[in-house]
Amino acid sequence: MRLNLNLRASKTLHAYIFLTPVIIFLVVFTVVPLLFGIYISFFRWNMLVPPSQAKFIGLENFRYILLQDERFIPSLLSTFYFTIGDVILTAVIALLAAVALNSNRRFRVFLRTIYFSPVITPLVAVSIVWSYIYHPNYGLLNELLSWVKLPPQQWLTSITAAMPSVIAMSVWKRLGYYMLIFLAGLQAVPQELFEAATVDGASKTTMFRRITLPLIKPTMLFVLVVLTIEALQVFTQIFIMTQGGPVDATRVTVLYMYDTAFSYLRMGRASAMAFILFIIVLIVTFVQVRLMREGGMNTYTN
Amino acid sequence: MMKVKGYLVVIVLLLSLGLSNVAALGASPKTITIMAHWSQTQQEKVIPILQEYERLNPDVKIVVQGVPMKEFLKKILVSRLGGDTPDIYHIYNLWMPQLVENGVTATPPKNIQALIKKSFTLSAVQGVTQRGIPWGFPTEINDYMLVYNKKLFAEAGISGPPKTWTELLADAKKLTKKDASGNIVQAGFAVRPGDISGVFHPWMSLLWSNGGEFLSKDLKKAAFNSKKGLEATEFFADLVTSTQFSSVDDFIAGKVGMIIFAPWGRLYFQDRMGGNFNDVATAALPASPTGGRVSVAYSWSYVVDKNSEKRPEVWQFLEWLSTKMAGGSATSPMGHYLVDILGAIPSLEKDIASRSDILGNNYNKPFIEGLKYARTEPQLLPAEEVRVEMAKQLEAMLYKQKSAKQALADAENKINEILADYY
């Protein structure tokens, strides 16, 4: 018994020793900045002086953002616009592509490589290239439109088209990654279930709806949660392609937060925005997990 | 005894090694770091100038840290927070009030202050002065002029650049061409959409030319929402929206008749337009209905970080770079760099006089003459925030999201709120 306890203690100790570098990394680069961000959201601080010289203003930053700031709520709405478009399109197209690839064994490797190639390309480079593709006068897209006798579009310089244009690029960029995750989920579904359903005379649509979808629900939950968290924090492509414009059509919350901190030198206010966004991400993720926690093989067999 | 001797030998060896390291440290050159927004190509071209100083001063080494213009202020903040600051910043003077107010910049020695005051143009000295102290060596100074495409003017049957606002609007309309579907294929006039200065500075030039004011004298209130301000803003809206939003890229492609631009466009356009640059000309800003003609001026300067431990050497280097006529040249090293490499206007009086070969040519002449009637943009603590707010409201107007009247009213409310937070 004593030997068992010693062995267990030793194993635990070893586990902590191996975990220490990761824990230190997490504390230094995530926990401390997070706590510092929350702390500084109660101060007025311009970052040109040490934090010790920041002025305590209580909840003023939160009051201003929620009640007085004319840009914060619209920036949140723009963020939700991006998130809804990006998450739905990426998830649906990635799932359809995965289903298609799952049934097409012949070109699977080749197509998987093609779909995955945008994922390994740096987002900054992709954003710059897509800015050229979208250029109203010299861009590839308008050139293609002219071939089919369609009028040129303003894309990123149009108030209505700018956000859909950024969403389209973002979907293209991340599609391959989520397609692979769906593909892994699909390949884990037992073939016997489909064989039994075929014997019972079920159509392909019925099998997809009654077998595939319920069984890949955990995969879908993972994809939706990760996609949503990423989309709510969208920044790079918008920073490069539109800078939040035209007017404020693509000014998402993280970009507004960035401008508030680094252009207007209001780090306290920007930290308060970050804290509010953090709460929103937390709530959305919690709701998603609650709504989709049922499903998968276990639920099915039960 | 032998053992003690052995220890002594080791100690002496270690000491001599240590001392030699200290001596070597003492002999290593002091490194002065400059943070500047120059591009990679521009940095490469400044190296021979810096090497010349290193040759004259073997105990000094100069290093340039290039930072994109959009990231520059952020880089200052981050480097100060991280405690790893360069010795010199080449800053946009709009940031000067914040940097001075927060003790980022070192006060120049008295003799340097006197040198700056007596050697540079008045508007450049004003650009670096806060609380009566010139905080750094002025470098380039920019004003705005009308830059136009002579070939497109000739094709449209226009004999010369517009001299009044009425002519400007009429010419812009004449120069605008549409295809069968009504899409504009050639614009008469363009601004840089999405670029704060590209919208704010041309509008401000029109506002001031028309006799309007941007802020009250005590900087506590917005003053642009006036009759003069509304006239200028409505004119700006007519000018831009009548010819659709086109960009400077389109000007480079020969698809825009006119833009309002700064002098550094000379080399910028030349590099991008090749032989077509011969079609580009400049002219004074057209006069407003009141007869006024005011250009916005903005400038840059070298300031020294207060944390720099090499301040005497740094000021000595900046004095050489900005004012010394090295190697029998009539132009300072910085003057040479500004005129020949950046295509900008220097602010040292002697440089302006000595480089009349380029600064007096047809392209630059209106810019040099324009400095006489140029006004420096207001330097405020929340300058960037105020500029962005104004530009955003103007952009909303140009995109027909709101009227000129509404844009001015909204900008006034917001800017007053920002100013009240600081003054």
Side-chain angles (χ1 to χ4, degrees):
Chain A
M1 182 68 182
R2 190 180 173 79
L3 190 72
N4 258 351
L5 270 177
N6 278 344
L7 193 66
R8 196 181 302 163
S10 164
K11 273 187 175 175
T12 312
L13 183 69
H14 274 93
Y16 276 114
I17 289 170
F18 283 116
L19 280 172
T20 304
V22 180
I23 291 174
I24 291 174
F25 191 84
L26 204 69
V27 168
V28 171
F29 292 105
T30 306
V31 178
V32 171
L34 182 74
L35 294 178
F36 181 71
I38 295 171
Y39 168 78
I40 213 69
S41 66
F42 300 106
F43 289 81
R44 182 175 175 156
W45 181 44
N46 64 13
M47 287 186 290
L48 287 167
V49 295
S52 56
Q53 291 179 31
K55 188 183 167 196
F56 180 77
I57 51 170
L59 292 170
E60 172 56 24
N61 285 327
F62 292 94
R63 186 205 63 79
Y64 179 85
I65 291 164
L66 295 171
L67 303 177
Q68 203 174 333
D69 193 341
E70 290 163 9
R71 292 235 160 82
F72 182 70
I73 301 294
S75 83
L76 270 183
L77 295 177
S78 294
T79 307
F80 292 145
Y81 178 11
F82 177 87
T83 303
I84 291 168
D86 180 63
V87 171
I88 292 176
L89 286 174
T90 308
V92 169
I93 300 174
L95 178 61
L96 293 177
V99 170
L101 273 193
N102 198 33
S103 54
N104 183 349
R105 290 173 190 277
R106 207 166 155 199
F107 298 109
R108 187 186 291 172
V109 176
F110 173 72
L111 289 174
R112 208 165 50 191
T113 311
I114 295 286
Y115 280 119
F116 199 72
S117 54
V119 179
I120 55 167
T121 316
L123 184 53
V124 172
V126 165
S127 304
I128 292 169
V129 170
W130 275 79
S131 301
Y132 288 116
I133 291 174
Y134 281 133
H135 195 287
N137 294 339
Y138 323 110
L140 179 69
L141 267 181
N142 274 352
E143 184 62 26
L144 292 176
L145 288 182
S146 74
W147 290 357
V148 287
K149 308 283 178 207
L150 285 173
Q153 301 299 312
Q154 289 299 308
W155 306 115
L156 298 175
T157 53
S158 151
I159 288 179
T160 47
M163 187 60 100
S165 304
V166 178
I167 291 173
M169 187 283 276
S170 305
V171 170
W172 171 85
K173 171 78 177 76
R174 300 188 299 169
L175 182 67
Y177 177 74
Y178 294 101
M179 182 201 71
L180 275 195
I181 291 175
F182 275 127
L183 198 58
L186 289 172
Q187 285 170 359
V189 178
Q191 283 303 305
E192 306 88 76
L193 297 175
F194 294 108
E195 286 160 12
T198 310
V199 172
D200 289 345
S203 69
K204 288 211 165 176
T205 318
T206 310
M207 281 193 274
F208 180 74
R209 210 158 42 83
R210 307 297 287 269
I211 301 173
T212 310
L213 279 183
L215 290 186
I216 63 161
K217 218 170 170 186
T219 311
M220 207 177 283
L221 173 66
F222 170 79
V223 168
L224 289 180
V225 167
V226 176
L227 262 176
T228 307
I229 292 173
E230 276 183 2
L232 285 171
Q233 298 178 63
V234 60
F235 174 75
T236 310
Q237 55 269 57
I238 286 185
F239 181 71
I240 297 197
M241 294 171 78
T242 65
Q243 290 274 315
V247 192
D248 274 339
T250 57
R251 184 170 293 273
V252 289
T253 307
V254 180
L255 182 71
Y256 186 42
M257 199 188 297
Y258 176 85
D259 285 340
T260 304
F262 295 109
S263 295
Y264 312 156
L265 309 185
R266 296 180 185 270
M267 185 46 110
R269 194 177 283 175
S271 299
M273 289 179 195
F275 184 67
I276 293 170
L277 187 66
F278 172 72
I279 299 291
I280 290 170
V281 172
L282 211 65
I283 293 169
V284 170
T285 308
F286 179 75
V287 170
Q288 280 180 323
V289 173
R290 288 283 296 181
L291 286 176
M292 298 194 64
R293 66 181 168 181
E294 300 293 319
M297 271 307 284
N298 294 337
T299 316
Y300 196 81
T301 48
N302 286 342
Chain B
M1 190 62 189
M2 281 297 284
K3 210 173 180 180
V4 173
K5 271 187 182 172
Y7 280 129
L8 275 174
V9 169
V10 172
I11 289 169
V12 169
L13 274 172
L14 283 174
L15 271 174
S16 55
L17 249 172
L19 284 174
S20 67
N21 277 342
V22 172
L25 272 178
S28 65
K30 285 188 178 176
T31 302
I32 294 176
T33 312
I34 309 172
M35 192 196 280
H37 73 292
W38 304 320
S39 68
Q40 188 63 37
T41 319
Q42 290 165 343
Q43 282 178 57
E44 283 162 13
K45 289 181 178 169
V46 81
I47 286 172
I49 295 171
L50 305 179
Q51 281 172 339
E52 173 62 11
Y53 187 76
E54 289 172 350
R55 193 184 63 77
L56 296 169
N57 300 271
D59 56 334
V60 174
K61 184 169 171 47
I62 316 284
V63 174
V64 178
Q65 267 182 22
V67 178
M69 170 64 185
K70 281 181 182 167
E71 302 306 309
F72 204 88
L73 188 57
K74 290 137 211 172
K75 181 71 180 167
I76 296 178
L77 301 173
V78 173
S79 64
R80 283 189 68 83
L81 280 177
D84 182 23
T85 51
D87 301 289
I88 301 166
Y89 302 105
H90 186 231
I91 63 158
Y92 180 18
N93 286 334
L94 198 74
W95 306 326
M96 189 73 88
Q98 278 279 14
L99 299 182
V100 170
E101 181 76 14
N102 291 287
V104 175
T105 46
T107 312
K110 293 279 179 203
N111 63 317
I112 296 285
Q113 291 186 32
L115 179 68
I116 293 167
K117 282 180 184 171
K118 77 167 191 202
S119 310
F120 290 86
T121 56
L122 183 62
S123 50
V125 175
Q126 283 170 347
V128 296
T129 301
Q130 291 289 315
R131 303 178 191 160
I133 297 172
W135 290 87
F137 278 100
T139 59
E140 64 176 282
I141 184 154
N142 295 277
D143 54 356
Y144 282 86
M145 290 295 132
L146 190 79
V147 180
Y148 65 99
N149 189 316
K150 287 185 288 185
K151 192 178 157 199
L152 300 186
F153 267 56
E155 284 171 6
I158 306 168
S159 57
K163 292 190 169 50
T164 63
W165 283 12
T166 315
E167 287 177 20
L168 175 62
L169 190 58
D171 290 351
K173 285 180 177 167
K174 243 187 244 177
L175 285 159
T176 301
K177 286 181 185 170
K178 294 180 180 175
D179 63 15
S181 318
N183 298 306
I184 290 180
V185 289
Q186 178 182 298
F189 183 86
V191 293
R192 285 181 282 165
D195 179 276
I196 301 304
S197 297
V199 174
F200 179 64
H201 284 163
W203 169 78
M204 184 101 112
S205 293
L206 296 176
L207 171 77
W208 279 344
S209 295
N210 201 39
E213 280 299 330
F214 184 57
L215 298 177
S216 61
K217 280 188 180 155
D218 60 5
L219 305 179
K220 288 184 176 176
K221 292 272 178 200
F224 49 78
N225 194 8
S226 59
K227 188 171 171 284
K228 300 276 183 200
L230 184 61
E231 279 169 12
T233 309
E234 281 175 339
F235 174 75
F236 187 55
D238 282 350
L239 187 63
V240 178
T241 52
S242 64
T243 60
Q244 208 184 37
F245 248 133
S246 295
S247 69
V248 172
D249 286 346
D250 301 325
F251 182 79
I252 290 167
K255 291 182 176 180
V256 169
M258 298 176 278
I259 50 175
I260 291 179
F261 214 78
W264 54 268
R266 177 172 61 89
L267 290 186
Y268 182 79
F269 295 141
Q270 203 172 329
D271 286 348
R272 286 158 180 80
M273 294 177 78
N276 292 336
F277 181 69
N278 294 328
D279 297 331
V280 177
T282 55
L285 288 177
S288 74
T290 62
R293 181 181 282 156
V294 180
S295 168
V296 172
Y298 69 94
S299 54
W300 289 73
S301 61
Y302 286 119
V303 293
V304 177
D305 191 290
K306 212 175 188 174
N307 293 341
S308 170
E309 290 167 354
K310 295 152 272 184
R311 289 206 291 272
E313 290 85 358
V314 170
W315 285 117
Q316 194 185 337
F317 161 66
L318 284 180
E319 184 182 352
W320 176 86
L321 181 69
S322 308
T323 62
K324 296 291 180 195
M325 306 307 165
S329 165
T331 310
S332 72
M334 195 60 203
H336 160 63
Y337 182 62
L338 288 169
V339 175
D340 298 320
I341 293 162
L342 296 187
I345 298 178
S347 45
L348 186 72
E349 301 268 19
K350 283 181 181 171
D351 285 341
I352 296 174
S354 69
R355 294 312 306 271
S356 57
D357 56 327
I358 288 181
L359 299 175
N361 69 17
N362 285 341
Y363 189 93
N364 275 325
K365 212 173 167 185
F367 288 105
I368 299 290
E369 286 173 355
L371 288 175
K372 292 175 198 150
Y373 56 86
R375 270 178 76 177
T376 303
E377 62 182 322
Q379 293 194 345
L380 310 159
L381 286 168
E384 190 63 19
E385 203 173 350
V386 165
R387 265 160 45 95
V388 170
E389 188 54 45
M390 192 70 233
K392 284 279 160 203
Q393 296 295 345
L394 291 171
E395 207 183 336
M397 172 191 77
L398 297 178
Y399 270 93
K400 297 180 180 170
Q401 299 283 297
K402 51 180 76 173
S403 65
K405 200 173 178 180
Q406 190 61 47
L408 288 184
D410 291 349
E412 182 185 32
N413 285 338
K414 184 71 187 167
I415 288 172
N416 281 344
E417 182 189 305
I418 296 167
L419 292 172
D421 216 14
Y422 284 87
Y423 294 102

